[in-house]
Amino acid sequence: MACSKDDHPKVGEDTANFIPQVGKTYSYRQELEEGEHIVFTRSISGSKDSTGFKVYNLRTRMVYDDIAIEVNNGMYVNGSKTVQVQHQPEQWGYLLKLLERSFESQGMDVEIKSHTAQGFPVYSEWDNKQEEGALLRFIGPQKQSLSVSYEGTTAGQPVDLGLTVSMEQQNGRVVAVEEITVPAGKFKCSKYEYKVRNGLEIKVDGVSFGNTEEEATVQVWLAHGVGVVKEISVTNGDVSTYELTEIK
């Protein structure tokens, strides 16, 4: 389906940006260990005018086995940059579902009491120019985190447990402009690279049981009018790949 002139936000003369086209659905696949995978679908649904330009809603649906998570984030063009408003990563909702399932599979009588996300919203600002050295900036709180509190019984004894996952996203830049081929086709992309510091802390009865930190190097390929085409994240030699499989 062709896109009309009004289907894509524009400010001034800058019309080339990384917002997906209205009316299209973008499907992605993320490979996991042992042949398992997660399927994502993204689409732009609705828009509203804000200070003279359109803010679009990026709707992401994530499915793994029978777990489905949906997250909405805003996108808009600010001059020569594409901006995405991050409210909470899809993977964090997925983590809560996995925790619940893990407790059930182990026969543990455990109930999640609360979960709180902090440090949001944060804004990712991508330079629309497809040239080496173009910048990616993260604007907002330096650190984002999800804290989960749950209680139950283990070996017949009551226990209070806590889990906090966190991330600190560092500014990046375009390291190459290149054509890449993925299952959905061939795209001219800006290849951005940046780093993320991920943290994990576990508490038992209020006492820290362990605190670890890892740094991931993220490479993400973005195409005008499409957004993310491919993403590779490397942490301590472990590689996670996420790529566009279909546009319809």
Side-chain angles (χ1 to χ4, degrees):
M1 181 175 69
C3 235
S4 74
K5 290 175 63 178
D6 293 329
D7 279 344
H8 219 260
K10 34 193 170 293
V11 175
E13 297 300 319
D14 184 17
T15 59
N17 56 70
F18 297 122
I19 298 180
Q21 294 183 37
V22 173
K24 292 185 179 290
T25 299
Y26 299 79
S27 299
Y28 297 84
R29 180 183 174 103
Q30 182 178 10
E31 298 296 334
L32 303 176
E33 296 179 356
E34 298 179 356
E36 296 184 326
H37 64 273
I38 304 174
V39 173
F40 296 80
T41 56
R42 287 185 169 181
S43 60
I44 295 291
S45 60
S47 66
K48 63 179 180 180
D49 291 328
S50 178
T51 62
F53 60 95
K54 291 183 178 179
V55 178
Y56 283 69
N57 177 47
L58 177 65
R59 184 175 185 177
T60 302
R61 189 170 192 266
M62 169 184 170
V63 178
Y64 170 67
D65 198 4
D66 60 346
I67 298 175
I69 304 292
E70 290 193 4
V71 176
N72 296 302
N73 292 297
M75 293 192 79
Y76 60 92
V77 176
N78 184 11
S80 62
K81 303 179 188 305
T82 297
V83 180
Q84 180 173 339
V85 186
Q86 300 178 10
H87 291 291
Q88 183 174 323
E90 298 90 343
Q91 288 86 344
W92 287 5
Y94 163 68
L95 173 62
L96 291 174
K97 294 291 186 180
L98 281 187
L99 280 172
E100 293 174 343
R101 177 168 295 183
S102 176
F103 296 148
E104 292 174 359
S105 67
Q106 297 178 55
M108 298 174 65
D109 183 16
V110 176
E111 178 182 358
I112 293 180
K113 295 193 300 181
S114 64
H115 55 87
T116 305
Q118 295 183 321
F120 293 97
V122 63
Y123 300 81
S124 55
E125 185 183 76
W126 309 81
D127 196 324
N128 292 328
K129 295 179 181 178
Q130 288 199 303
E131 62 183 27
E132 290 188 28
L135 298 178
L136 160 64
R137 294 200 308 149
F138 294 98
I139 302 169
Q142 183 178 9
K143 187 174 186 178
Q144 289 73 50
S145 65
L146 173 68
S147 296
V148 185
S149 176
Y150 43 102
E151 63 181 9
T153 57
T154 301
Q157 298 297 317
V159 62
D160 287 323
L161 304 172
L163 172 70
T164 298
V165 293
S166 63
M167 67 177 183
E168 296 181 45
Q169 301 175 106
Q170 301 175 17
N171 295 339
R173 65 181 61 244
V174 173
V175 296
V177 177
E178 58 191 20
E179 280 195 346
I180 66 168
T181 300
V182 295
K186 181 182 290 187
F187 302 87
K188 180 183 177 181
C189 296
S190 295
K191 179 184 177 182
Y192 281 89
E193 185 171 304
Y194 65 100
K195 294 185 182 297
V196 181
R197 183 170 294 278
N198 297 303
L200 172 65
E201 182 178 20
I202 299 173
K203 289 185 177 181
V204 179
D205 292 330
V207 178
S208 181
F209 189 73
N211 193 341
T212 60
E213 283 194 351
E214 296 179 323
E215 186 174 80
T217 298
V218 181
Q219 295 177 328
V220 56
W221 287 259
L222 285 89
H224 285 159
V226 175
V228 176
V229 172
K230 183 176 181 178
E231 182 175 310
I232 295 177
S233 178
V234 181
T235 308
N236 293 335
D238 294 329
V239 180
S240 172
T241 301
Y242 168 95
E243 62 182 8
L244 182 61
T245 58
E246 184 181 28
I247 301 175
K248 63 181 181 179

